[in-house]
Amino acid sequence: MNTYFRTGVVTLLLGFSLTACHEAKKSDTSAESTANERKLDFQSDDEFLTYIQKAHFNYMWEGAEPTSGLACERIHTDGVYPENDADIVTTGGSGFGIAGLLVGIERGFITREEGVVRFHQIADYLAKADRFHGVWPHWMHGPTGKVKPFGQKDNGGDLVESAFLMQGLLCVRQYFKDGNESEKALAAKIDQLWREMEWTWYLNGQDVLYWHWSPNYAWEMNFPLEGYNECLITYILAASSPTYPIPASAYHNGWARKGGIKSDAVAYDLPLILKHNYAEEYGGPLFWAHYSYIGLCPVGLSDRYANYWDLNRNHVLIDYRYCAENPKGFKGYSDACWGLTASYSVKGYNAHMPSNDHGVITPTAALSSYPYTPEESSKALKHFYFNLGDSIWGKYGFYDAFSEGENWYPRRYLAIDQCTIAPMIENYRTGLLWRLFMSCPEIQDGLKKLGFSIQ
């Protein structure tokens, strides 16, 4: 296979054990801890959504690794840490968490000043951390910033994870670029990190981007980024770079496979529009509709291959209708209990989707889909919170995943699932991250270069 599902399939192939990132020490801030006891009385849906956002925002705030200020790869509140690696931070998950910190400022969970201090901590750390032609690794040791191999040969730059990180950082740059002296200095630090990313290096002399490069194994991982999956934002950023821009041909010949990315498949009366890699019948795990769209706004966005709002909405609705139909008869599935994506699973970790369904529901799948399916996502949220309740709720919001049929309710979190919830709910409510990212002049130029239009 020439691509892979985010973390899950690769983790299984490489035989990694599940590891844990324990709760970091609480920051000495004014942000209140979200108690494990669930509040049950809300005056409005808006108040309820704000409460949900704050709980998940706290993964990146109170739960952050203390040296870096970044997101722990995992937080296991059951106290089980198989590899004793509580200090590992995740690059992509931190990008989502960084977007969530902006939500925290806007919603008053923390002050603007507290946010600026944290962002300076993050930017300074990233400037000193291991980079490979300007690109960070998938995992880093929090206290040192040194690479933590994701696999034997995956011990260098991870272009996709770094794209998720930079997507969040550019939102921060835009938020603070016209602020006070400290805020402008922060924006300049982020701009420097952005300019130092050598996107053209990751072409490997070809007309397609490659996911990994290692100083020890060079291009042996050999994962060209071909669509469709979660990696669209990588090409958008690479084409938009002010210093190392890739040619448009890499997008059309590599990612879009000379038009081969387009699909005629229909599921539940909804066209998939693009060929989902290894999931062409029903579409891939729902994080494909989330990760590239934390900042990239799909509303009215189209190119010669797809209308990206229709693409994402259809993808989510197919997943929803599949769960509501529940062809495999899993306990708990319904139109109020749905959402398949990559997450912890009963037997390890799995990229859940209709064609790879193991009876495991992952709350982020429905909650991070709020912009596309607000009614269906709201119904799922209320079911998760008020009906399933304490069985799936903890300090940082909903636990990663559960299976009613297996009576499986692990008290564990993953950054890549947890940290998309607050930003995507905010995009539904106000479009905050979409407005910030799309305000980047380089992004507008890059989209035009690739043939995108916005209506």
Side-chain angles (χ1 to χ4, degrees):
M1 62 193 289
N2 61 1
T3 189
Y4 63 88
F5 300 126
R6 164 65 24 192
T7 305
V9 172
V10 168
T11 300
L12 293 172
L13 290 173
L14 295 176
F16 289 137
S17 297
L18 295 180
T19 57
C21 186
H22 65 50
E23 297 181 39
K25 294 180 180 179
K26 292 182 180 179
S27 304
D28 183 15
T29 71
S30 61
E32 295 180 359
S33 299
T34 301
N36 287 343
E37 294 184 5
R38 293 176 303 116
K39 178 179 177 180
L40 297 176
D41 183 22
F42 299 96
Q43 298 303 308
S44 65
D45 283 348
D46 275 349
E47 182 187 345
F48 181 39
L49 279 179
T50 300
Y51 179 86
I52 294 299
Q53 285 179 286
K54 183 175 182 180
H56 295 87
F57 144 89
N58 262 336
Y59 186 102
M60 183 68 174
W61 186 246
E62 295 183 358
E65 192 281 322
T67 302
S68 63
L70 296 173
C72 293
E73 169 67 8
R74 327 171 196 272
I75 294 177
H76 289 188
T77 62
D78 60 8
V80 178
Y81 313 123
E83 294 189 12
N84 194 31
D85 59 350
D87 58 359
I88 299 304
V89 297
T90 172
T91 302
S94 291
F96 310 145
I98 284 167
L101 293 180
L102 291 174
V103 175
I105 295 171
E106 284 289 292
R107 292 284 167 189
F109 307 155
I110 57 174
T111 67
R112 186 179 179 100
E113 291 73 22
E114 287 174 324
V116 169
V117 170
R118 170 65 68 83
F119 286 132
H120 271 292
Q121 177 189 5
I122 289 171
D124 292 342
Y125 178 90
L126 290 172
K128 297 176 182 177
D130 279 353
R131 281 184 286 171
F132 304 87
H133 293 274
V135 172
W136 293 273
H138 187 137
W139 284 342
M140 292 178 283
H141 289 280
T144 66
K146 298 299 182 183
V147 61
K148 160 71 174 177
F150 192 70
Q152 179 182 342
K153 296 182 179 181
D154 190 356
N155 67 341
D158 186 311
L159 194 65
V160 175
E161 292 285 319
S162 294
F164 297 148
L165 175 63
M166 186 50 63
Q167 179 180 212
L169 287 171
L170 287 176
C171 291
V172 175
R173 186 194 72 175
Q174 295 303 101
Y175 192 85
F176 290 109
K177 65 183 178 66
D178 297 321
N180 60 33
E181 183 177 347
S182 178
E183 293 171 356
K184 289 178 179 177
L186 169 62
K189 289 178 182 180
I190 293 171
D191 196 60
Q192 185 65 27
L193 295 172
W194 163 229
R195 290 173 174 274
E196 290 171 351
M197 297 181 74
E198 298 179 27
W199 303 91
T200 48
W201 174 263
Y202 286 81
L203 289 169
N204 186 24
Q206 309 297 313
D207 209 19
V208 62
L209 285 170
Y210 281 78
W211 200 309
H212 315 89
W213 180 80
S214 163
N216 307 107
Y217 301 98
W219 305 102
E220 289 186 35
M221 288 290 289
N222 194 31
F223 282 117
L225 299 182
E226 299 174 334
Y228 182 72
N229 54 23
E230 75 272 30
C231 302
L232 175 62
I233 192 64
T234 314
Y235 278 91
I236 302 300
L237 289 168
S240 303
S241 170
T243 46
Y244 298 94
I246 66 167
S249 60
Y251 175 74
H252 297 293
N253 295 330
W255 171 256
R257 292 179 275 135
K258 299 181 179 180
I261 194 173
K262 293 193 289 187
S263 172
D264 295 326
V266 175
Y268 293 98
D269 298 322
L270 296 166
L272 271 80
I273 301 174
L274 297 181
K275 289 182 180 178
H276 292 229
N277 294 341
Y278 309 102
E280 294 182 18
E281 184 178 3
Y282 295 104
L286 283 187
F287 72 85
W288 291 7
H290 307 151
Y291 288 4
S292 279
Y293 305 96
I294 297 292
L296 179 66
C297 180
V299 179
L301 183 70
S302 62
D303 66 2
R304 70 183 72 169
Y305 311 112
N307 175 298
Y308 289 87
W309 180 261
D310 293 343
L311 171 76
N312 288 330
R313 178 169 164 78
N314 288 2
H315 181 194
V316 175
L317 283 173
I318 289 167
D319 188 282
Y320 163 79
R321 292 178 184 180
Y322 169 87
C323 290
E325 182 186 62
N326 192 16
K328 292 187 175 182
F330 286 119
K331 182 179 179 180
Y333 280 33
S334 72
D335 63 351
C337 191
W338 61 277
L340 307 179
T341 193
S343 70
Y344 283 142
S345 195
V346 177
K347 296 180 180 179
Y349 186 103
N350 220 307
H352 307 108
M353 51 188 152
S355 60
N356 185 43
D357 182 13
H358 298 277
V360 173
I361 296 295
T362 307
T364 190
L367 302 189
S368 295
S369 297
Y370 239 100
Y372 313 120
T373 53
E375 292 183 6
E376 294 85 352
S377 294
S378 177
K379 189 170 184 177
L381 169 59
K382 291 174 180 177
H383 174 69
F384 295 155
Y385 191 82
F386 293 108
N387 297 334
L388 297 179
D390 291 335
S391 65
I392 62 170
W393 181 265
K395 178 179 175 61
Y396 301 114
F398 294 109
Y399 295 121
D400 190 56
F402 64 91
S403 173
E404 292 187 54
E406 298 289 339
N407 194 30
W408 179 75
Y409 302 95
R411 296 180 177 273
R412 298 183 171 187
Y413 297 105
L414 281 174
I416 55 173
D417 291 335
Q418 213 66 14
C419 291
T420 59
I421 293 173
M424 288 302 277
I425 290 178
E426 192 62 34
N427 279 333
Y428 159 69
R429 299 179 78 181
T430 69
L432 173 67
L433 289 316
W434 288 346
R435 290 199 312 274
L436 289 169
F437 185 77
M438 300 299 280
S439 73
C440 296
E442 313 99 306
I443 299 303
Q444 289 295 323
D445 290 343
L447 288 169
K448 291 177 183 177
K449 171 181 171 179
L450 297 181
F452 282 84
S453 63
I454 303 173
Q455 297 179 348

